[in-house]
Amino acid sequence: MRFFYVVGFLWALALPLRAIDREAFSISRYDLNATVEPEQQRLAVRGRITLRNESDDPQKNIALQISSSLHWVSIKLDGKPVEFLSQAYTSDIDHTGALTEAIVTVAPVSPEKTIDLEIGYEGTITQDASRLIRIGVPAETAKHSDWDQIGHTFSTVRGIGYVAWYPVATEAASLSDGDSVLATVGRWKQRESQAEMKVNLCLSQNSAEGNSSPPLQMFMNDAQSGVRGGSAGGITEKNVSTRCKAYDFKQLGQSVPVFVLGNYSDNSRENAVIHYLPEHKSGADDYAIALDQAGPAVNQLLGAPNSKPAYMPETFDLPDAQDAAFDSGNALLMPLAQNDTSLLLAAARQLAHTAFPSPRLWISEGLAGYAQAAYMQSEKGRAAAIAYMQGHRAAMVESEKENLAQGSDKAAAHSLINDPDQFYVETKAMSVWWMLRDMVGETAFTDALHNYKASEDKDAYYVQKLFEARSHRDLAWFFDDWVYRDRGLPELRIVSVYPRQLVGGGYLLTVTVENSGQAGAEVPVTRHMAQGESTERLIVPGNSKASVRIRAPMLPQEARVNDGSVPEANSGNNSFKIEVTQ
């Protein structure tokens, strides 16, 4: 009998937790005091957060999550401790693969109302790639992706999606579940885009005589004034030196708050600031050359920016040459010990990011990717640029298959203007910008971008109208299929080629193309001969056929639809052998 009583009691306790809506509250304001102790790899945070009930119902349970390597010390309401349950919560939005979750019980908070909590938490942040290793990524590879840590001589810690060093509240996400992690992080960014974050970041170091640790500089990608570093003064007490600096994100937007501590030297350029580690000075010099070389090219490709960038691009050197690059806002973190091509592509992306800010992810991230592909074309030709884009499409193609399987009612939710998955949006948008340039031509494309103003981008149709005005073309079908809705990808094949011999010599080919996908596309159709080739462009709506006529001086050997510039669900059947019939 006692057994059933205990089980019933535990079940009763579990019911409220099972019913928690972890995403009911957003955090509209952070005011944090964060102290980093490199020698102990330790982070201690005290502060206040404001939460807003975004749901339609009163809520009395609040979920607050931090990295599993941290633990909650206190949570107070109106200066008094509140009841909370601390528990482990498995989720891959943190590099450890888990979170320390506090379930806070308060008086019911009505919809759209706010509540202020005083919070305290602390712990260590060491390098941990558990979430990647768990799904089969080799440990050596995983550590170069999840490189976040507080170290003795160097520290870099990114926010949500990497390390939950500030409180968040999300449902569980797993890397083994498709794009679950990216979508969850994207939803959080959308919810928190208007949130304010103030961080008083303090660095506490041993200043005793004989201590070998170098003095470290502090940086954070402060959204109010770009990346800022240095210190506002400090104190030394009992052989411990503490220096602090205040940072203010007026609006988080799409930024991921990052703090960096390192023994940096600076290379200040007209178009960027490079923070490099002493052993990588030559890499910093190479990247400075890459920025100078890519700058004019990016302006030529995208149109020179119509105003001075709000923030100077800043690059932070990473100590391991194999570490994966990361950017957020105007801050780029990457190893400077790389080859020339990698440095040039990174420079093109960073300069495009900074010169063309936009509140829309598909514009800011998509154009940054497009700038890399376009720069590749200017250096190595169109085929190399298309190969570069194709090398980034595999995950996007898989996402499109999953999205399409959810039905047409999800087409708007998975569109470029709504989907929270940043990687998917960035990859698809890169191809969308490339296709748009092919359709309207270089002059109209550059002119439209030159006249883009983020302050005037108030509705989703702004960019469409801008490009229609410059190109004098109706682009509604293209934006509807590729931007406003997700209709998947085209699936193109040539169903017939009819050659007709002309009286004056040569042939006129009628090429019929079928698109069995739902998204329409304007694609190149090329006839190949031993002496050369020629191309015409053809619009093929979704689930339709269309034909184009191409002149040829002699009977071609092959016709091909799509040169790889248009992403497809299946590109293995794009060619058609032309056989001579007697």
Side-chain angles (χ1 to χ4, degrees):
M1 187 69 176
R2 182 181 178 186
F3 169 78
F4 290 106
Y5 171 78
V6 171
V7 170
F9 176 72
L10 293 176
W11 176 251
L13 283 179
L15 280 176
L17 299 185
R18 287 160 53 90
I20 288 175
D21 180 358
R22 287 180 167 83
E23 298 187 3
F25 285 90
S26 65
I27 301 178
S28 59
R29 179 182 171 86
Y30 295 84
D31 195 347
L32 307 176
N33 292 289
T35 300
V36 180
E37 300 176 23
E39 286 89 351
Q40 285 74 43
Q41 297 183 277
R42 183 174 180 272
L43 173 71
V45 179
R46 302 293 185 270
R48 179 185 295 269
I49 57 176
T50 300
L51 299 106
R52 184 177 187 271
N53 182 2
E54 305 287 357
S55 73
D56 296 329
D57 303 306
Q59 300 286 336
K60 66 177 182 178
N61 293 313
I62 301 172
L64 294 176
Q65 300 157 346
I66 51 178
S67 175
S68 66
S69 66
L70 306 174
H71 62 272
W72 291 101
V73 174
S74 66
I75 301 177
K76 297 179 180 180
L77 174 63
D78 296 330
K80 299 178 181 179
V82 296
E83 178 184 350
F84 71 91
L85 171 67
S86 182
Q87 62 182 9
Y89 187 63
T90 301
S91 180
D92 285 338
I93 68 163
D94 186 81
H95 65 160
T96 64
L99 299 162
T100 301
E101 181 177 67
I103 304 299
V104 185
T105 303
V106 297
V109 180
S110 300
E112 300 184 1
K113 297 299 182 181
T114 62
I115 183 172
D116 290 344
L117 295 177
E118 299 171 54
I119 57 173
Y121 56 92
E122 57 193 45
T124 59
I125 299 178
T126 59
Q127 187 172 15
D128 192 325
S130 296
R131 61 176 179 174
L132 295 174
I133 295 172
R134 187 172 61 225
I135 61 172
V137 178
E140 185 64 23
T141 302
K143 75 175 186 179
H144 294 304
S145 178
D146 278 348
W147 36 254
D148 306 80
Q149 65 174 316
I150 295 175
H152 298 286
T153 60
F154 182 84
S155 303
T156 310
V157 180
R158 296 168 287 184
I160 186 170
Y162 302 93
V163 182
W165 66 267
Y166 50 87
V168 298
T170 69
E171 298 294 343
S174 173
L175 288 172
S176 60
D177 183 18
D179 60 357
S180 169
V181 171
L182 293 171
T184 300
V185 171
R187 285 199 310 274
W188 176 258
K189 287 183 179 180
Q190 287 181 344
R191 291 165 54 205
E192 298 298 298
S193 62
Q194 303 300 311
E196 179 181 3
M197 176 181 283
K198 291 185 176 182
V199 180
N200 186 45
L201 183 64
C202 296
L203 171 62
S204 184
Q205 285 186 281
N206 182 1
S207 59
E209 186 176 350
N211 177 47
S212 59
S213 298
L216 303 178
Q217 294 175 279
M218 294 184 293
F219 299 92
M220 194 170 179
N221 59 331
D222 181 340
Q224 174 66 10
S225 54
V227 176
R228 291 196 288 137
S231 65
I235 59 172
T236 300
E237 185 177 352
K238 296 182 179 179
N239 294 326
V240 175
S241 172
T242 302
R243 294 174 289 131
C244 300
K245 185 69 177 181
Y247 298 89
D248 187 0
F249 292 77
K250 290 298 185 184
Q251 289 185 346
L252 283 177
Q254 291 294 322
S255 296
V256 174
V258 182
F259 65 81
V260 183
L261 311 174
N263 181 25
Y264 282 113
S265 297
D266 294 345
N267 184 341
S268 296
R269 317 288 297 176
E270 182 180 350
N271 57 354
V273 178
I274 305 168
H275 306 278
Y276 63 91
L277 299 171
E279 61 271 26
H280 293 159
K281 184 180 186 306
S282 62
D285 293 340
D286 290 342
Y287 190 59
I289 294 172
L291 286 167
D292 291 341
Q293 183 175 337
V298 169
N299 289 343
Q300 182 180 1
L301 292 167
L302 301 180
N306 48 36
S307 62
K308 184 178 180 180
Y311 312 132
M312 184 73 74
E314 303 210 27
T315 304
F316 293 87
D317 188 13
L318 295 177
D320 193 321
Q322 301 302 313
D323 285 347
F326 169 82
D327 60 1
S328 181
N330 69 318
L332 169 63
L333 287 75
M334 72 171 189
L336 291 173
Q338 297 193 52
N339 61 53
D340 290 346
T341 298
S342 297
L343 292 176
L344 284 166
L345 289 175
R349 177 180 178 83
Q350 187 176 25
L351 292 172
H353 237 161
T354 307
F356 290 88
S358 171
R360 302 188 187 279
L361 195 64
W362 80 273
I363 297 176
S364 61
E365 297 299 327
L367 272 178
Y370 164 79
Q372 291 178 301
Y375 186 78
M376 179 72 77
Q377 180 183 20
S378 69
E379 292 292 306
K380 298 185 178 182
R382 182 178 175 89
I386 290 174
Y388 175 80
M389 290 192 293
Q390 289 175 324
H392 290 75
R393 284 179 184 164
M396 184 265 286
V397 171
E398 290 304 312
S399 293
E400 288 288 15
K401 292 177 182 177
E402 294 175 8
N403 293 347
L404 204 59
Q406 296 181 26
S408 58
D409 58 328
K410 297 290 185 180
H414 292 306
S415 68
L416 287 185
I417 60 175
N418 291 322
D419 199 295
D421 184 340
Q422 179 172 334
F423 181 77
Y424 162 76
V425 170
E426 176 182 338
T427 307
K428 185 173 182 178
M430 173 172 61
S431 293
V432 167
W433 286 110
W434 185 280
M435 289 188 290
L436 191 56
R437 188 197 64 174
D438 278 353
M439 291 170 61
V440 304
E442 193 80 48
T443 301
F445 183 84
T446 301
D447 187 38
L449 286 179
H450 183 74
N451 284 276
Y452 174 84
K453 296 179 176 62
S455 60
E456 297 179 6
D457 189 354
K458 302 298 185 182
D459 67 71
Y461 300 98
Y462 173 77
V463 171
Q464 176 191 330
K465 295 174 183 176
L466 197 62
F467 276 84
E468 286 180 333
R470 265 63 190 181
S471 65
H472 307 290
R473 288 189 58 177
D474 180 3
L475 300 172
W477 68 270
F478 177 78
F479 277 84
D480 192 56
D481 282 6
W482 289 90
V483 180
Y484 308 143
R485 290 172 178 79
D486 177 26
R487 302 195 189 281
L489 299 175
E491 189 161 348
L492 304 161
R493 73 183 185 97
I494 296 176
V495 293
S496 67
V497 176
Y498 176 70
R500 180 167 64 88
Q501 194 167 9
L502 301 175
V503 175
Y507 288 82
L508 182 65
L509 304 180
T510 301
V511 182
T512 300
V513 178
E514 180 183 40
N515 179 4
S516 57
Q518 295 184 25
E522 181 179 300
V523 291
V525 179
T526 305
R527 53 94 174 149
H528 296 274
M529 301 185 306
Q531 290 79 13
E533 61 183 40
S534 64
T535 299
E536 297 289 342
R537 298 189 65 81
L538 174 67
I539 296 177
V540 191
N543 297 315
S544 300
K545 295 179 182 178
S547 299
V548 64
R549 292 179 176 178
I550 307 175
R551 293 182 67 97
M554 60 184 62
L555 188 66
Q557 301 165 324
E558 181 187 46
R560 172 172 287 273
V561 59
N562 194 10
D563 59 355
S565 56
V566 176
E568 284 190 73
N570 175 22
S571 59
N573 55 355
N574 290 156
S575 63
F576 188 98
K577 297 293 183 182
I578 302 173
E579 299 180 358
V580 179
T581 57
Q582 301 297 330

